[in-house]
Amino acid sequence: MAFMDEVKTAVTPRAALLVFGTLALQLLFIASYVGALHHPEPTDVKVAVVAPGGTADRAAAQLRRLPGGPLSPRVLPDEAAARRQLLDRDVDAALIVDPRGSTDTLLVASGQGTAETSALLNVFGQVEQQQQRALRPVDVAPASPRDADGLSSFYLVVGWCVGGYLCAAILAVSAGARPANRARALIRLATTALYAIAGGLLGAVITGPVLDALPGSVWALWGLGALTVFAVGAATLAFQTLFGVVGIGVAILVVVIGGNPSAGGAFPLPLLPDFWRAIGPALPVGAATWTARSIAYFRGSAVTGPLLVLSAWALGGILVSMAAVGLRGGRRGAAEPPAPRHAAAP
């Protein structure tokens, strides 16, 4: 057999298309991670300003005019309101101005990511230095000493998401990407749900009691983990039902290439470019990362929206899988000729 015949036998057109698709995913992976994370800088970070009289309005106006628009300030009546909004995740920092002295206080929350805290300290430090004033930082929601750079929540979520789409991919590899009927689709979804319950619990236990890397309720993290794993797994099953084995690549495109850089993990959302900041909260990794940090450091505040996002991915995965299997079964049944009728035996 000639060499080219060997090549044609070894590399089928379908395999060649999958290889080119893999190359495209590789290049998108590089472009997304480098594009999102190569130059983090704060943009429109929500900050509060507290000061007596008209001092607060003047300080907020000055912060609003900073070159590049790093801050989006709002005036609050007192420090208690600023602390409350910081713990509710309505603002990312609060400047408490003391007009009677030469030192102002900056309330921060490193639990939302030390990269953002460092960026805010740098911005406010330069502003205070220009006014020949000192800055005293106070961390009202500090990251755990064992949670390096506040990344444990992100890595936990990444592990959950990897488990979700790998579980769905294994089901496809073992028994075909597209389930044969609705019963098979339901079995795959049920298997994914059981896997999600186990994966959510074990991830929460490893990150919390075993490694002491992330504080917060293990029960709450377990629930979040189960929902996250199932949401990603159900979405992957839906992609596979629609696109066959290519659906695994679509899941990687959504969860890994789109989701990880925009999740606010390595760099919180206010430090990301506009595109990644916009899509991150709508994807499973971003929604779960925000929720995990809220559980760990912010008393579970501001999690309704992210939990709805995860629930939408889970429900959407179920509905799309079942609908696609039903439509495909209907088309196949319509295309088959009716079975011949046999004459009754005499």
Side-chain angles (χ1 to χ4, degrees):
M1 183 180 292
F3 177 74
M4 289 307 299
D5 293 332
E6 291 283 3
V7 171
K8 291 177 181 179
T9 303
V11 183
T12 64
R14 182 170 180 269
L17 287 174
L18 290 175
V19 168
F20 281 114
T22 302
L23 176 62
L25 286 177
Q26 172 187 311
L27 297 179
L28 286 171
F29 183 96
I30 295 170
S32 65
Y33 276 70
V34 176
L37 307 177
H38 76 287
H39 185 55
E41 56 182 2
T43 306
D44 293 330
V45 182
K46 296 177 293 183
V47 299
V49 178
V50 176
T55 304
D57 291 324
R58 290 192 295 270
Q62 180 185 13
L63 295 175
R64 197 174 290 112
R65 292 193 299 267
L66 290 176
L71 305 178
S72 176
R74 65 180 70 170
V75 174
L76 292 180
D78 51 44
E79 182 176 340
R83 286 178 175 268
R84 184 170 57 253
Q85 289 205 11
L86 194 56
L87 291 174
D88 289 343
R89 307 197 75 178
D90 291 329
V91 298
D92 297 297
L95 180 66
I96 314 298
V97 180
D98 181 9
R100 296 174 297 179
S102 59
T103 300
D104 298 327
T105 301
L106 182 67
L107 304 181
V108 294
S110 61
Q112 63 195 355
T114 57
E116 181 179 3
T117 300
S118 298
L120 288 170
L121 288 173
N122 181 55
V123 170
F124 280 101
Q126 292 179 9
V127 171
E128 296 290 295
Q129 187 177 20
Q130 291 173 359
Q131 298 179 350
Q132 297 183 341
R133 297 178 64 83
L135 187 67
R136 182 176 69 93
V138 175
D139 197 342
V140 300
S144 168
R146 294 180 178 271
D147 183 9
D149 296 326
L151 292 175
S152 295
S153 54
F154 173 60
Y155 292 141
L156 172 62
V157 168
V158 168
W160 280 332
C161 291
V162 168
Y165 68 72
L166 283 182
C167 176
I170 289 171
L171 291 173
V173 170
S174 63
R178 291 186 172 100
N181 50 52
R182 286 183 173 174
R184 297 264 181 102
L186 279 173
I187 291 171
R188 292 189 182 189
L189 288 166
T191 301
T192 303
L194 293 174
Y195 176 88
I197 292 170
L201 173 61
L202 294 174
V205 169
I206 290 172
T207 308
V210 174
L211 297 178
D212 195 23
L214 199 64
S217 168
V218 173
W219 298 102
L221 288 174
W222 179 13
L224 171 63
L227 177 58
T228 301
V229 175
F230 182 75
V232 173
T236 304
L237 290 173
F239 291 141
Q240 290 172 172
T241 305
L242 291 173
F243 306 115
V245 70
V246 176
I248 300 174
V250 176
I252 293 173
L253 177 66
V254 172
V255 176
V256 179
I257 295 175
N260 286 1
S262 64
F267 296 109
L269 292 177
L271 304 186
L272 297 180
D274 291 341
F275 172 76
W276 302 103
R277 188 190 313 188
I279 69 171
L283 298 177
V285 189
T289 298
W290 175 278
T291 305
R293 282 180 171 158
S294 288
I295 292 171
Y297 298 115
F298 297 94
R299 309 171 304 186
S301 299
V303 299
T304 301
L307 289 177
L308 288 175
V309 168
L310 291 170
S311 300
W313 279 96
L315 181 59
I318 295 172
L319 295 178
V320 169
S321 294
M322 300 305 294
V325 170
L327 289 173
R328 192 173 64 252
R331 288 197 301 269
R332 185 166 57 242
E336 294 175 353
R341 293 183 178 180
H342 297 284

